[in-house]
């Protein structure tokens, strides 16, 4: 990988965003060793360390973080400009990097991407499915999908859905054996499938509400996991009650393998939003993605009426 300051800067940005030489090398189509050499040459020329490397991880120094935040948007814009020179005037090109939570994949992401890519086949979409809170600016991403109350106030927000509910569900067999909880406190006497918090790593406390009153219930049970599919399967098998976003168990509720309990206490959360930084310069690819997202959101709103 020949050394030039701009090539080396682009190499560094790829590693800084992915926190991995192997992943960044795959993105750029070079070997990890060539990428590592290029970054080391950049560090030598600048006279500072940009990355802290161990056998298992890559993290940024303070100088590396500042370089990522200051140079990243400018380099992205420059690369996008180069792509535009070779593209037809009407053709949208480039890459969109998205951070999305698991629950949004079937409801929003899966139906949205086929329509977008059918219209803009020369755009590459990098979708990172993760339930932790992500700073999309720091991590070099273009946009994200979250509930509104989890989005920084300085972001542009595009509503994709109306309010949604978190509900408690159980299999008919489990409810026949253990009984049906009538109030939030009853959950302390039940087996509950624990949710591993992506933020703290601990067991998530179930949140319920009725009117202006709220409950935070520290449920217990035989299993804790962060895998939504496993939670559903275990709940259907009657291992315990499950607390989940309503759309994630829509099929199970329809066929009767799971039933809603404590429905008057279901927690209502704001709708799902697409969000992105309020920059003056937004790439053509992201603008096109936002336009398709708005179009589909309008259709979903009409269908819900």
């Amino acid at each position: 990988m020949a050394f030039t300051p701009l090539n080396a800067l682009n190499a560094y940005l790829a590693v800084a965003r992915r926190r991995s030489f192997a992943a960044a090398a795959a993105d750029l189509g070079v070997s990890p060793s060539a990428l590592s050499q290029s970054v080391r040459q950049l560090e030598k020329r600048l006279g500072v360390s940009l990355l802290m490397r161990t056998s298992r991880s890559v993290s940024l120094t303070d100088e590396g973080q500042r370089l990522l935040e200051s140079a990243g948007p400018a380099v992205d814009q420059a690369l996008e400009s180069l792509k535009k020179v070779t593209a037809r005037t009407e053709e949208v090109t480039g890459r969109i990097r998205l951070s999305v939570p698991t629950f949004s994949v079937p409801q929003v992401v899966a139906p949205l991407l086929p329509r977008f890519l059918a219209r803009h086949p020369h755009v590459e979409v990098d979708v990172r499915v993760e339930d932790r809170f992500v700073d999309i600016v720091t991590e070099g991403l273009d946009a994200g999908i979250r509930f509104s109350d989890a989005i920084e106030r300085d972001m542009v927000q595009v509503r994709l859905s109306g309010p949604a509910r978190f509900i408690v569900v159980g299999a008919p067999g489990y409810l026949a054996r253990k009984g049906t909880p009538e109030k939030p406190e009853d959950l302390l006497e039940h087996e509950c499938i624990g949710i591993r918090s992506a933020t703290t790593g601990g067991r998530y406390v179930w949140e319920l509400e009725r009117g202006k009153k709220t409950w935070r219930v520290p449920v217990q049970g035989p299993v804790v996991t962060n895998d939504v599919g496993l939670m559903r399967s275990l709940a259907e098998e009657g291992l315990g009650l499950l607390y989940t976003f309503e759309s994630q168990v829509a099929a199970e509720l329809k066929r009767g393998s799971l039933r809603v309990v404590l429905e008057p206490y279901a927690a209502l959360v704001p709708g799902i939003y697409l969000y992105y930084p309020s920059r003056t310069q937004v790439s053509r690819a992201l603008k096109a993605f936002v336009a398709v997202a708005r179009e589909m959101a309008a259709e979903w709103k009409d269908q819900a009426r």
Side-chain angles (χ1 to χ4, degrees):
M1 190 172 184
F3 179 84
T4 67
L6 287 179
N7 278 347
L9 177 58
N10 192 44
Y12 164 72
L13 292 174
V15 176
R17 286 167 169 164
R18 298 284 265 160
R19 301 296 200 275
S20 164
F21 278 94
D27 289 344
L28 297 176
V30 299
S31 69
S33 59
L35 190 61
S36 178
Q37 181 181 2
S38 184
V39 173
R40 288 189 185 281
Q41 286 177 303
L42 179 63
E43 290 177 315
K44 183 177 180 181
R45 174 167 292 201
L46 296 176
V48 297
S49 294
L50 301 173
L51 300 172
M52 293 181 287
R53 307 159 174 86
T54 70
S55 59
R56 295 186 177 182
S57 66
V58 175
S59 58
L60 308 187
T61 64
D62 290 342
E63 292 81 3
Q65 183 65 43
R66 285 197 295 270
L67 183 59
L68 172 62
E69 293 175 358
S70 61
V75 171
D76 287 344
Q77 187 174 348
L79 292 174
E80 182 67 20
S81 298
L82 291 175
K83 291 178 182 178
K84 290 178 182 178
V85 171
T86 57
R88 296 195 301 272
T89 303
E90 71 277 9
E91 204 171 71
V92 178
T93 63
R95 176 188 291 182
I96 303 171
R97 302 175 181 87
L98 300 175
S99 172
V100 307
T102 305
F103 68 78
S104 73
V105 173
Q107 184 175 356
V108 174
V109 182
L112 177 55
L113 286 182
R115 181 180 297 190
F116 173 74
L117 293 172
R119 294 184 188 176
H120 306 290
H122 298 287
V123 176
E124 177 186 341
V125 184
D126 179 354
V127 182
R128 305 180 188 183
V129 182
E130 48 194 349
D131 292 324
R132 66 186 177 92
F133 287 102
V134 177
D135 185 332
I136 61 173
V137 175
T138 299
E139 299 196 21
L141 304 176
D142 299 296
I145 292 176
R146 288 289 184 271
F147 287 124
S148 179
D149 55 0
I151 301 173
E152 296 86 348
R153 295 300 99 184
D154 60 347
M155 294 284 173
V156 178
Q157 298 186 33
V158 178
R159 180 186 282 274
L160 299 178
S161 76
R165 298 194 309 170
F166 274 95
I167 57 175
V168 179
V169 298
Y174 173 88
L175 299 175
R177 293 195 318 272
K178 300 287 188 175
T180 301
E182 301 294 337
K183 55 186 183 299
E185 294 86 346
D186 294 345
L187 292 173
L188 297 173
E189 306 300 322
H190 280 265
E191 299 293 338
C192 297
I193 298 167
I195 305 167
R196 179 72 65 195
S197 170
T199 304
T200 67
R203 186 187 288 261
Y204 184 78
V205 175
W206 292 10
E207 299 177 357
L208 297 97
E209 62 184 39
R210 189 170 190 176
K212 295 183 178 181
K213 188 173 181 180
T214 62
W215 290 260
R216 289 174 51 83
V217 186
V219 298
Q220 297 296 319
V223 176
V224 181
T225 180
N226 63 349
D227 186 86
V228 175
L230 178 59
M231 293 179 201
R232 280 197 303 263
S233 296
L234 295 178
E236 282 191 287
E237 290 295 324
L239 197 67
L241 299 176
L242 172 63
Y243 179 83
T244 183
F245 187 44
E246 190 169 15
S247 68
Q248 290 185 310
V249 290
E252 290 77 10
L253 294 174
K254 185 175 182 180
R255 65 172 175 258
S257 59
L258 291 175
R259 296 177 183 170
V260 180
V261 300
L262 295 172
E263 188 161 15
Y265 301 91
L268 191 67
V269 294
I272 302 171
Y273 285 75
L274 171 70
Y275 68 99
Y276 55 95
S278 53
R279 305 178 185 133
T280 303
Q281 296 293 329
V282 176
S283 70
R284 289 182 68 207
L286 182 56
K287 285 181 180 177
F289 186 81
V290 171
V292 174
R294 289 184 186 277
E295 176 184 297
M296 293 199 71
E299 293 177 7
W300 291 330
K301 185 178 180 180
D302 289 341
Q303 293 168 8
R305 288 175 179 170

